[in-house]
Amino acid sequence: MTSTSGPITAEQLLATTLLRFATAGSVDDGKSTLVGRLLHDSKSVLADQLEAVERASQVRGQAAPDLALLTDGLRAEREQGITIDVAYRYFATPRRRFILADTPGHVQYTRNMVTGASTAELAVVLVDARNGVVEQTRRHAAVAALLRVPHVVLAVNKMDLVGYAEPVFARIAAEFTAYAASLGVPEVTAIPISALAGDNVVEPSATMDWYGGPTVLEHLETVPVSHDLAACPPRFPVQYVIRPQTAEHPDYRGYAGQITSGLLRVGDPVTVLPSGRTTTIAGIDALGRPVDTAWAPQSVTLLLADDLDVSRGDLIAPTAAAPAVTQDVRATVCHLHERPLRVGERVLLKHATRTVKAIVKELPYRVDLSRGLAHERGPAALEVNDIGAVVLRTAEPLPIDAYADSRLTGSFLLIDPADGTTLTAGMAGEAFPESAQGAAGAEDGAAAQADDAGWDF
Amino acid sequence: MTTTAPTSGTAQDSPYALTHLDALESEAVHIFREVAGEFERPVILFSGGKDSIVMLHLALKAFAPAAVPFALLHVDTGHNFPEVLDFRDRTVARHSLRLHVASVQDYIDDGRLRERPDGTRNPLQTVPLTDAIREHRFDAVFGGGRRDEEKARAKERVFSLRDEFSQWDPRRQRPELWSLYNGRHAPGEHVRVFPLSNWTELDVWQYIARERIELPEIYFAHEREVFNRGGMWLTAGQWGGPKDGEPVERRTVRYRTVGDMSCTGAVDSAAATLDAVITEIAASRLTERGATRADDKLSEAAMEDRKREGYF
């Protein structure tokens, strides 16, 4: 393994791409050790950080530096020895820059994994080779499927404690892959590792020569990072209207925003939603540079051919592939707050750059992520960390995509209008293939609106 | 008009994969525009340090060809490097910006704050900062904090809600999903916004090089009268150093961070150009704060404690 050896030159670092990924594991699966190992073996841990870890380990009477201490950030976590929130970690190799959302594994912190997975292009699910696929593992797989994380890695850890035996790994990998497939996860990469000993994390294992695949880091370095732009219709939520009104730019009127999916071209016929007015793209300003094309996730300013009434909260989409506009939103949600969500509740719904009033009309079911997605019909409320279905009626029409088609224009937040608390994360449409519920033996006829033929990003 | 060819990343990547600097820039611009769209009175904390200079550069790009729709706020400890204050004032004049200054010295002079025995003024910035936010009714305050700087910062949100005393409560943070930032707050509360959350020190320097951003000269190797305290090279000055038994010597150094002179250390360095600085950082074995910030060495939880109290 040579991909990370040698000093990184300034030139190499300029050419790298960025991968956002998340890790999930149960309390004792060794997730913090894996993360510490990735940081340490990729030489991303600096001398003073390592010294601090060595000092803290000694104080606790541990012989070797506890790499888990590298990632346990807040005082309460250090005192309790658990990770209570999402922590973001940064490391680089000559090939790539990484942003790692390190999320905790306890059952009560589903919301943290949902948060970490929402921006991740890859999720590493960790299992203990001695225990195999457990309830937590199924929950983590379900969250990765729910959030439509494009790439899933199963890291079978503690292989040293099962004698580095291939059949143990093969059995766990097969069980997990079958379960993930039933959830609609298109592809799983399974890797046998020992985070403690360092096998197959950064360096290939010297003891598992039966395994011919990549190490965790090699896989992170080579997995494709951008979605298939041609397959996704472009979406452009307007954030801000730029009107200098200066002598130099008396008539400039640009619509600032970040392209959330697809590719835009000068000359494209577009529709502004929700008004439905049509025009064409007259120019694209890429942060001071005029360009002919721009694509996700670039922040640009669009100039339109006609003088339409466009403001923050509008969505610009190609006329040929504009989303339907609706006031009735059916979605799968993860409830994030201790205050339960009930039918009749009035909330704010934040979708892309628009925030509208909404009312909770129905709670059709709650999903048990650990018991094969069994459905509980018509729950009285969604409690914190619950995953379930919600039907909302919004005060204004929204151009909302199915989350299966577009992660950024298919997602929304529910916010408490009284104090601004973020209550719920929403994903428009159905989260899982109907067959997943059938496979789990649950009786449920909820209409699957999502297109689960494949994940297009 | 120019045509943009897709940039090529590594062999496996689509030609449309952005480079990491383009991705980080796009994200930061998105954050600036969200705040401009959702808040009434935003302000950028501007110290003349490299992170705040990069923030301002991003804000200028985000709203061009219009002016930046925010004022700047500097919390002046009274122990700032003269080169940095000079740079600050030139920058403000060049871009026709509005600058508010909250002065720690004023608070010490009229007795509202008392000088600490160690002469360090960084912890004293919290009160003037909070007062300035209240007085000007700023509802969004941009800070240049990065999550790679420190463990407590690694868990802070991009939009970080602060109560009327500017306090941060890590257990009450709002989950932040996708690129949906929730900036709602009650009257008297405000939101600290960190557009550089996902940048590392190296990213900041590479971006400075790519965009040819001007920095105060103290970031590059130069000769200076310094003395050693607690393993760091501090600049001699009227703030109170050196004490007896702390010999002053002339060394070739540069600063990796710019803050209060009493607790911001220089590092031995011959890196006099941007390229040399980037090479040095890529090879460095110490974090930026570990190398140069005495205030973070106080305890394992030093930064977390100061953030809870309303620090940046």
Side-chain angles (χ1 to χ4, degrees):
Chain A
M1 164 85 196
T2 55
S3 66
T4 57
S5 61
I8 301 171
T9 68
E11 237 168 57
Q12 278 175 322
L13 281 166
L14 274 174
T16 59
T17 51
L18 186 64
L19 178 76
R20 293 169 200 256
F21 74 105
T23 55
S26 306
V27 176
D28 296 316
D29 288 342
K31 183 168 57 66
S32 293
T33 308
L34 170 67
V35 172
R37 175 65 64 188
L38 275 173
L39 299 176
H40 180 264
D41 288 6
S42 65
K43 319 240 181 323
S44 299
V45 182
L46 302 175
D48 55 331
Q49 291 174 311
L50 200 57
E51 268 170 38
V53 165
E54 280 165 1
R55 258 199 322 274
S57 302
Q58 274 169 13
V59 169
R60 294 163 180 219
Q62 291 161 313
D66 183 354
L67 294 178
L69 294 177
L70 282 170
T71 59
D72 291 347
L74 300 178
R75 184 196 290 272
E77 294 171 324
R78 285 192 299 275
E79 285 166 359
Q80 296 167 27
I82 54 161
T83 312
I84 57 166
D85 203 340
V86 186
Y88 294 90
R89 298 285 145 205
Y90 302 83
F91 65 101
T93 69
R95 288 186 181 184
R96 249 189 205 160
R97 279 263 289 101
F98 300 96
I99 300 177
L100 160 59
D102 188 14
T103 63
H106 332 285
V107 62
Q108 67 269 42
Y109 289 110
T110 297
R111 67 171 165 203
N112 291 333
M113 191 187 162
V114 167
T115 301
S118 72
T119 52
E121 290 149 293
L122 179 146
V124 179
V125 177
L126 212 66
V127 301
D128 185 325
R130 294 171 301 176
N131 306 328
V133 174
V134 296
E135 178 186 322
Q136 282 287 343
T137 318
R138 279 189 285 272
R139 181 177 288 268
H140 295 146
V143 171
L146 176 68
L147 273 292
R148 304 225 165 218
V149 180
H151 307 280
V152 174
V153 172
L154 173 72
V156 181
N157 191 25
K158 306 195 184 185
M159 286 300 294
D160 50 320
L161 300 183
V162 295
Y164 294 108
E166 179 176 18
V168 175
F169 168 73
R171 182 178 49 75
I172 295 169
E175 183 183 350
F176 182 86
T177 303
Y179 186 67
S182 77
L183 299 172
V185 174
E187 174 205 306
V188 172
T189 303
I191 305 176
I193 68 168
S194 166
L196 198 66
D199 295 273
N200 287 338
V201 178
V202 171
E203 302 294 333
S205 172
T207 40
M208 290 184 277
D209 49 12
W210 46 264
Y211 173 75
T215 67
V216 174
L217 187 63
E218 280 169 345
H219 185 64
L220 295 175
E221 283 184 314
T222 53
V223 72
V225 286
S226 84
H227 65 283
D228 181 3
L229 292 165
C232 297
R235 297 286 183 257
F236 186 83
V238 175
Q239 287 188 276
Y240 193 75
V241 181
I242 295 179
R243 295 184 65 194
Q245 294 175 296
T246 55
E248 206 185 333
H249 302 281
D251 300 318
Y252 185 100
R253 190 181 176 92
Y255 303 103
Q258 187 170 25
I259 304 171
T260 56
S261 63
L263 180 143
L264 292 170
R265 271 191 192 85
V266 173
D268 280 353
V270 291
T271 299
V272 179
L273 296 166
S275 76
R277 293 197 178 85
T278 57
T279 181
T280 54
I281 297 177
I284 304 174
D285 191 349
L287 303 180
R289 200 167 41 96
V291 295
D292 288 333
T293 58
W295 54 89
Q298 290 182 318
S299 283
V300 298
T301 304
L302 295 188
L303 307 173
L304 300 181
D306 300 287
D307 197 5
L308 302 181
D309 179 18
V310 180
S311 57
R312 175 174 171 83
D314 288 345
L315 182 81
I316 295 174
T319 304
V325 167
T326 181
Q327 285 180 262
D328 296 294
V329 178
R330 186 184 174 97
T332 307
V333 301
C334 175
H335 191 61
L336 305 167
H337 200 269
E338 283 72 14
R339 214 173 301 156
L341 189 73
R342 297 177 195 282
V343 171
E345 188 153 352
R346 286 165 195 280
V347 292
L348 295 172
L349 186 156
K350 182 166 190 175
H351 169 251
T353 54
R354 179 180 288 258
T355 303
V356 300
K357 290 178 182 166
I359 183 162
V360 179
K361 302 292 281 186
E362 276 178 67
L363 295 174
Y365 59 83
R366 170 169 41 205
V367 182
D368 188 335
L369 291 186
S370 52
R371 290 193 305 112
L373 307 183
H375 283 195
E376 178 200 337
R377 306 299 302 259
L382 291 181
E383 310 284 340
V384 64
N385 294 307
D386 275 355
I387 308 277
V390 168
V391 176
L392 297 149
R393 172 78 182 174
T394 60
E396 296 167 53
L398 286 179
I400 193 161
D401 284 298
Y403 186 75
D405 298 332
S406 171
R407 282 174 100 185
L408 293 182
T409 49
S411 53
F412 59 85
L413 300 178
L414 298 184
I415 295 168
D416 187 328
D419 62 5
T421 301
T422 300
L423 298 173
T424 308
M427 289 144 279
E430 294 288 335
F432 301 107
E434 239 176 321
S435 59
Q437 298 143 29
E443 296 279 318
D444 191 276
Q449 295 177 346
D451 169 21
D452 13 81
W455 293 4
D456 291 327
F457 45 87
Chain B
M1 177 167 291
T2 58
T3 302
T4 317
T7 50
S8 63
T10 57
Q12 299 77 22
D13 286 325
S14 136
Y16 294 101
L18 302 191
T19 66
H20 73 288
L21 287 183
D22 283 333
L24 293 170
E25 178 188 60
S26 179
E27 177 182 77
V29 164
H30 172 79
I31 292 163
F32 273 109
R33 289 167 166 178
E34 280 302 284
V35 171
E38 295 216 328
F39 290 80
E40 299 290 323
R41 300 172 67 83
V43 70
I44 300 176
L45 289 175
F46 188 80
S47 63
K50 67 177 191 315
D51 298 315
S52 64
I53 292 168
V54 165
M55 273 206 297
L56 178 59
H57 181 86
L58 288 160
L60 288 163
K61 288 186 89 166
F63 301 102
V68 174
F70 319 121
L72 304 184
L73 170 63
H74 182 214
V75 183
D76 184 347
T77 63
H79 288 160
N80 285 291
F81 293 91
E83 299 92 329
V84 177
L85 292 181
D86 178 55
F87 181 93
R88 177 196 77 185
D89 293 338
R90 277 189 287 120
T91 304
V92 166
R94 188 194 314 150
H95 300 296
S96 311
L97 299 162
R98 215 148 67 89
L99 172 72
H100 303 279
V101 178
S103 163
V104 173
Q105 191 64 54
D106 287 354
Y107 278 70
I108 291 172
D109 290 347
D110 66 18
R112 280 177 290 172
L113 282 177
R114 229 183 299 164
E115 196 89 74
R116 292 160 51 98
D118 61 5
T120 296
R121 286 188 174 180
N122 261 13
L124 301 184
Q125 295 179 86
T126 302
V127 172
L129 169 65
T130 304
D131 286 354
I133 290 168
R134 223 173 15 219
E135 183 192 328
H136 297 287
R137 291 182 291 114
F138 294 129
D139 53 1
V141 180
F142 290 103
R146 307 188 318 265
R147 288 179 181 146
D148 81 317
E149 285 180 86
E150 207 278 332
K151 281 201 268 188
R153 278 199 167 150
K155 302 206 169 179
E156 188 162 15
R157 307 292 187 248
V158 174
F159 275 38
S160 180
L161 187 67
R162 302 299 177 98
D163 66 14
E164 55 200 310
F165 305 101
S166 283
Q167 294 178 114
W168 179 61
D169 181 351
R171 285 188 181 271
R172 282 191 53 226
Q173 296 201 93
R174 292 171 178 166
E176 213 158 60
L177 296 101
W178 300 289
S179 48
L180 290 172
Y181 301 105
N182 177 2
R184 298 188 77 86
H185 57 280
E189 294 180 336
H190 71 278
V191 176
R192 298 281 171 92
V193 180
F194 300 101
L196 306 182
S197 286
N198 286 323
W199 298 50
T200 64
E201 182 187 18
L202 196 53
D203 298 329
V204 169
W205 280 104
Q206 289 179 327
Y207 188 71
I208 288 165
R210 188 184 88 167
E211 301 283 303
R212 299 168 203 273
I213 299 170
E214 190 193 342
L215 292 183
E217 54 266 43
I218 68 169
Y219 277 111
F220 303 98
H222 59 287
E223 277 202 12
R224 164 179 298 263
E225 304 257 301
V226 292
F227 65 94
N228 195 300
R229 182 179 292 171
M232 299 192 309
W233 295 113
L234 298 183
T235 294
Q238 52 177 303
W239 58 267
K243 292 178 188 153
D244 293 343
E246 292 179 325
V248 173
E249 47 187 298
R250 205 163 171 79
R251 298 185 75 90
T252 302
V253 296
R254 69 175 185 86
Y255 283 86
R256 283 175 79 180
T257 66
V258 163
D260 186 83
M261 286 171 85
S262 61
C263 63
T264 306
V267 292
D268 284 317
S269 170
T273 64
L274 271 176
D275 277 351
V277 168
I278 289 170
T279 305
E280 189 178 281
I281 290 164
S284 170
R285 295 283 84 209
L286 281 182
T287 61
E288 183 179 277
R289 285 196 165 263
T292 66
R293 286 297 179 90
D295 46 340
D296 292 331
K297 289 194 170 176
L298 295 174
S299 82
E300 210 187 337
M303 173 69 97
E304 185 182 339
D305 291 342
R306 281 184 295 131
K307 281 187 100 62
R308 284 173 183 272
E309 287 160 13
Y311 189 70
F312 306 123

